[in-house]
């Protein structure tokens, strides 16, 4: 049967107050079902969704459901369920949790309305941006961030005086509405604030957030490439009525034992929503999910070994020097292997999500009714994300160079590290070039649109944007060419071919450097042309003193413009000639 934690009898008797929202009801832990449950209610988001669920004092204008359960109560319940904090997963490095995604969870909402019972996964209740693609189920993670650490005060349960069932409250322990007024004690005891969130990605938070439970789309590697989540009122039918009548609901956090299990849950959800080719997609995801599970088992085994080494610290200090050094080397090797495993797990996750993002690309192409700007945005974001798995694969190779027994001498491995860093730079530059090309296409379209409308002033504004986008595209291309010559030098030093390749590589390097110098001058010219536009506006303002001052300023700007145009022509010619000699990099 369910095990209740933090039961508040008085609050349970109070039930619903105010707008009918549940207040301080029990958080339940059901070990048999592998669930944590607590009351919630639907809200009407007035802004872009930033979280899926939050405490009632959180960003309730940017969420799907709100709840009254406190962060420490949910935190303790998840520990009771067997979840491990981020600190556990960070045992081999500070980014272990972010890369491995820790213990995996499903978030579910249950409610009853008009005699019908509903149960939906969080992602099933959402679509992606204006393209209205049903969001795929990717699961959540127990992301108690930082070093959330329970410190138990002497003689009391952590931060909970009078909170055990049947034990009276201390005077003044209740706030208005029957809620306990102990946020400070709970924070000190657990490191978890009262106001926690279940996060989503695709939005940049404007305020400090406390995501106790995180979604992969909120990670630094995915968030920039995700469309904003939107509530699907086709799935959450009668949403307005659910909000206005404060229909009670239950938020369920369910532990998932493996990534393979999560993929099967996601498959079933995709089939329920009628997404085409779902079987093919999840057939491709299933073997990668099994790889993730095997890697995470290895990672957990390694974390156990690291803990044993740490626990034996005092005994190791008493060993002879040679044995101490051997123990230190073994510990270092464990850390390096842990970092490699975490990196490899992240790469596998990103590769899984890449297959799902390709589904997004196919959806966009198959739905002609999607507005052009929404279609273009989705295409750009998908193309930007495609680089993440490639970057992760290179990072796995770099981490492998630090493993015990890695091939090559220390200087050779150092050069390989440099080569991989340069390859990573090239991939990032190629991604920037892709985004810059998309921006250029966008502004070219806007210029054509304004020309057709015969709106000369707005066309001029967009032409300035188009020119900046063109300069940025050429800059990314030149930086990429420069980086490739530097990679050729490192690889040449590794395999002994640098002497033969040197002359051609240095010539290409000089050309790229000259191109970058020319682009710096073009930036200055574009800034001057913008100032010219402002001065021309002041000249036609009808204000005599302002117009007189603008006339003087415009004359100086025209002279500066002519000077910069001459410098740009000269710099462009130098770039075409291959630039000037540059010293070889050793």
């Amino acid at each position: 049967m369910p095990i209740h934690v933090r039961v508040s009898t008085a609050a349970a008797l109070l039930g619903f107050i105010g707008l009918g929202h549940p207040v301080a009801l029990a958080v339940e832990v059901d070990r048999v079902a592998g669930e944590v449950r607590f009351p919630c209610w639907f809200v009407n988001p007035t802004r872009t969704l930033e979280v899926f669920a939050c405490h009632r004092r959180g960003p309730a204008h940017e969420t799907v459901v709100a709840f009254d359960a406190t962060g420490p109560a949910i935190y303790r319940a998840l520990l009771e369920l067997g979840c491990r904090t981020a600190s556990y997963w960070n045992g081999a490095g500070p980014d272990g949790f972010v890369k491995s995604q820790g213990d995996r969870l499903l978030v579910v909402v249950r409610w009853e309305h008009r005699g019908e019972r509903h149960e939906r996964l969080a992602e099933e209740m959402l679509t992606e941006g204006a393209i209205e693609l049903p969001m795929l189920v990717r699961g959540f993670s127990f992301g108690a961030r930082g070093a959330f650490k329970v410190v138990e005060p002497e003689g009391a349960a952590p931060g909970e005086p009078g909170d055990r069932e049947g034990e009276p409250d201390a005077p003044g322990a209740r706030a208005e509405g029957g809620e306990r007024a102990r946020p400070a004690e709970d924070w000190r005891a657990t490191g978890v604030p009262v106001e926690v969130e279940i996060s989503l990605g695709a939005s940049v938070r404007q305020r400090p957030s406390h995501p106790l439970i995180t979604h992969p789309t909120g990670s630094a590697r995915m968030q920039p490439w995700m469309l904003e989540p939107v509530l699907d009122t086709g799935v959450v039918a009668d949403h307005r009525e659910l909000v206005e009548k404060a229909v009670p609901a239950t938020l369920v956090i369910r532990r998932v034992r493996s990534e393979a299990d999560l993929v099967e849950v996601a498959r079933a959800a995709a089939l329920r929503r009628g997404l085409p080719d779902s079987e093919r997609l999840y057939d491709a995801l299933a073997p990668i999910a099994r790889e993730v599970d095997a890697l995470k088992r290895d990672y957990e085994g390694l974390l156990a070994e690291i803990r044993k080494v740490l626990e034996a610290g005092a005994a190791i200090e008493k060993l002879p020097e040679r044995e101490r050094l051997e123990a230190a080397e073994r510990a270092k090797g464990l850390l390096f292997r842990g970092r490699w495993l975490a990196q490899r797990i992240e790469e596998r996750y990103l590769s899984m999500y890449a297959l799902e993002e390709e589904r997004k690309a196919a959806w966009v192409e198959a739905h002609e009714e999607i507005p052009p700007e929404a279609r273009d945005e989705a295409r750009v974001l998908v193309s930007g994300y495609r680089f993440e798995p490639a970057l992760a694969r290179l990072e796995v190779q770099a981490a492998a160079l630090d493993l015990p027994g890695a091939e090559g001498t220390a200087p050779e491995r150092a050069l390989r590290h440099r080569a991989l860093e340069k390859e990573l730079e090239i991939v990032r530059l190629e991604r920037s070039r892709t985004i810059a090309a998309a921006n250029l296409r966008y502004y070219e379209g806007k210029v054509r649109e304004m020309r057709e409308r015969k709106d000369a002033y707005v066309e001029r504004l967009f032409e300035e944007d188009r020119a900046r986008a063109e300069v940025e595209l050429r800059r990314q291309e030149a930086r990429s060419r420069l980086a490739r010559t530097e990679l050729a030098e490192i690889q040449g030093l590794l395999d002994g071919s640098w002497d033969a390749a040197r002359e051609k590589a240095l010539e290409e390097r000089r050309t790229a450097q000259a191109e970058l110098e020319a682009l710096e001058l073009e930036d200055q010219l574009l800034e001057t042309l913008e100032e010219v536009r402002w001065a021309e506006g002041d000249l036609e303002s009808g204000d005599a003193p302002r117009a007189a001052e603008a006339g003087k300023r415009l004359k100086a700007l025209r002279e500066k413009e002519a000077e910069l145009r001459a410098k740009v022509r000269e710099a462009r010619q130098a770039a075409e000639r291959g630039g000037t000699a540059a010293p070889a990099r050793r």
Side-chain angles (χ1 to χ4, degrees), residues 34-142:
E35 293 180 350
V36 167
R37 298 187 289 263
F38 48 92
C40 68
W41 60 91
F42 288 95
V43 299
N44 186 24
T46 56
R47 300 183 188 176
T48 300
L49 289 176
E50 291 192 349
V51 297
F52 180 78
C54 70
H55 187 269
R56 63 186 172 85
R57 292 202 298 265
H61 55 287
E62 300 161 343
T63 187
V64 177
V65 296
F67 53 81
D68 198 67
T70 66
I74 302 168
Y75 171 80
R76 292 188 181 102
L78 288 167
L79 292 181
E80 182 75 21
L81 196 63
C83 294
R84 283 76 55 90
T85 67
S87 299
Y88 167 85
W89 295 96
N90 288 342
D95 53 3
F97 166 75
V98 171
K99 293 182 182 299
S100 70
Q101 296 196 38
D103 286 315
R104 305 287 277 134
L105 306 166
L106 293 169
V107 174
V108 179
V109 181
R110 293 175 183 157
W111 71 98
E112 188 171 335
H113 184 51
R114 297 182 179 178
E116 203 173 328
R117 299 190 69 180
H118 304 268
E119 177 171 316
R120 290 287 187 171
L121 293 161
E123 293 102 320
E124 282 189 283
M125 300 164 69
L126 304 169
T127 60
E128 295 196 42
I131 68 170
E132 298 184 351
L133 168 67
M135 184 177 284
L136 298 180
V137 173
R138 286 169 169 160
F140 292 76
S141 298
F142 180 38

Side-chain angles (χ1 to χ4, degrees), residues 55-58 67 70-72 192-197 207 209-210:
H55 187 269
R56 63 186 172 85
R57 292 202 298 265
F67 53 81
T70 66
V192 182
V194 169
E195 302 166 20
V196 296
E197 304 167 358
R207 51 168 282 175
S209 59
H210 304 282

